[in-house]
Amino acid sequence: MEDICREIGARLRALRRDRGYTLTEFAEIVHRSKSTLSKYERGEIAVDVATLDELARALGKSAAELFYAGAPGISFAEAPEERLEDMQRYYLYMYSAHEGRPWVARNALFLGEGSAHIYAELPNDEDIYAYRSCYMGVFRKSNSFARIIAVNPLHADDILMLNYELTLKPAKAFTGFLCTMSIGHWFPLALPVIISSVPIADEAWLKARLAFTARDLRAFKSVNAFFHRTRPLDAELPPRP
């Protein structure tokens, strides 16, 4: 019974976060105390069927999606519980073309001690809860590189990996490498990204550094694979408006 409660709690927490609700906000919506909801999410107390249905409806889901282990959801057992406000915020940019013509996708990256959140395809750099999809997972760092492996909480087959080398001197902005194995008709992606501690408004500047060039194509053909090395960009950053 305890395992079931923890599984349901983990799915409830993932769905709540995916909708962008804080624990306090969701408690007000469902007319429960913050303490009770926290215990539900940690699996410390069982949720009766009627309450389960009420919580699911408030999240735009069915009770089955919270209860049934095969329903969309993910276990965050490997990632520590960290508050978003305590995590380091970065701006993540990519030049993507999964919907036709290439366009600059703006994303928010949050890194904690061992966990990572990515809010993808934002309308602007600051409105993080207007994302089209989100990913949550683990953040690992060695002496030479950092790696994020994250999953869409609602689609276990929607996986993302972000990798970058650690430079000797910390940089405000640098390039990294992102791979995704998505769902539906979207194809797998592998492309360079820019990770920045400050927002970058200049789309022409971003395109020039993220576009796949003829030189990249020649390198790809020579080894039959796409490689990307991390490069600091501080000296090239455009002036902020």
Side-chain angles (χ1 to χ4, degrees):
M1 183 65 179
E2 290 179 358
D3 289 342
I4 294 174
C5 290
R6 282 196 293 269
E7 288 176 12
I8 292 173
R11 280 191 285 278
L12 176 62
R13 181 171 62 245
L15 289 169
R16 172 180 63 77
R17 288 175 171 175
D18 184 66
R19 290 297 300 271
Y21 296 135
T22 65
L23 201 58
T24 301
E25 290 169 342
F26 192 54
E28 292 176 356
I29 291 170
V30 297
H31 306 293
R32 298 291 193 284
S33 71
K34 180 179 175 182
S35 174
T36 298
L37 278 180
S38 181
K39 289 178 180 177
Y40 285 158
E41 292 189 355
R42 294 197 300 270
E44 293 181 1
I45 55 177
V47 188
D48 63 79
V49 175
T51 301
L52 194 67
D53 183 67
E54 182 182 348
L55 297 176
R57 288 176 181 273
L59 293 167
K61 301 294 177 180
S62 68
E65 289 176 282
L66 286 175
F67 184 77
Y68 177 54
I74 183 172
S75 169
F76 292 99
E78 288 189 68
E81 181 74 19
E82 297 182 81
R83 299 189 307 168
L84 202 64
E85 54 266 34
D86 294 332
M87 301 169 79
Q88 182 68 45
R89 199 259 206 239
Y90 293 92
Y91 299 85
L92 176 65
Y93 302 99
M94 62 186 74
Y95 194 38
S96 176
H98 64 263
E99 293 186 342
R101 294 180 61 84
W103 57 289
V104 173
R106 297 175 180 272
N107 314 272
L109 168 65
F110 288 85
L111 298 180
E113 291 298 320
S115 62
H117 294 188
I118 296 176
Y119 298 88
E121 299 181 46
L122 308 177
N124 56 66
D125 280 322
E126 303 305 333
D127 195 3
I128 67 168
Y129 292 122
Y131 59 84
R132 294 185 60 184
S133 58
C134 78
Y135 298 85
M136 298 180 183
V138 295
F139 173 50
R140 297 284 184 264
K141 188 191 293 187
S142 72
N143 291 331
S144 58
F145 72 90
R147 178 168 295 163
I148 296 149
I149 301 175
V151 180
N152 185 328
L154 300 182
H155 300 284
D157 293 329
D158 189 1
I159 303 168
L160 174 151
M161 185 174 75
L162 175 61
N163 200 81
Y164 57 90
E165 296 170 79
L166 298 176
T167 56
L168 293 176
K169 181 180 179 181
K172 284 184 181 178
F174 50 91
T175 58
F177 187 62
L178 181 141
C179 304
T180 68
M181 182 64 71
S182 194
I183 55 174
H185 65 281
W186 290 6
F187 47 80
L189 288 176
L191 69 172
V193 297
I194 290 175
I195 303 165
S196 176
S197 60
V198 295
I200 302 173
D202 192 331
E203 292 213 1
W205 185 91
L206 289 167
K207 288 178 183 178
R209 283 150 186 82
L210 292 172
F212 194 76
T213 65
R215 181 179 179 182
D216 294 325
L217 183 59
R218 288 193 297 271
F220 176 87
K221 288 181 176 179
S222 68
V223 295
N224 199 40
F226 184 19
F227 294 100
H228 179 80
R229 299 297 302 271
T230 297
R231 184 166 67 91
L233 296 170
D234 285 16
E236 305 171 36
L237 279 173
R240 295 180 63 181

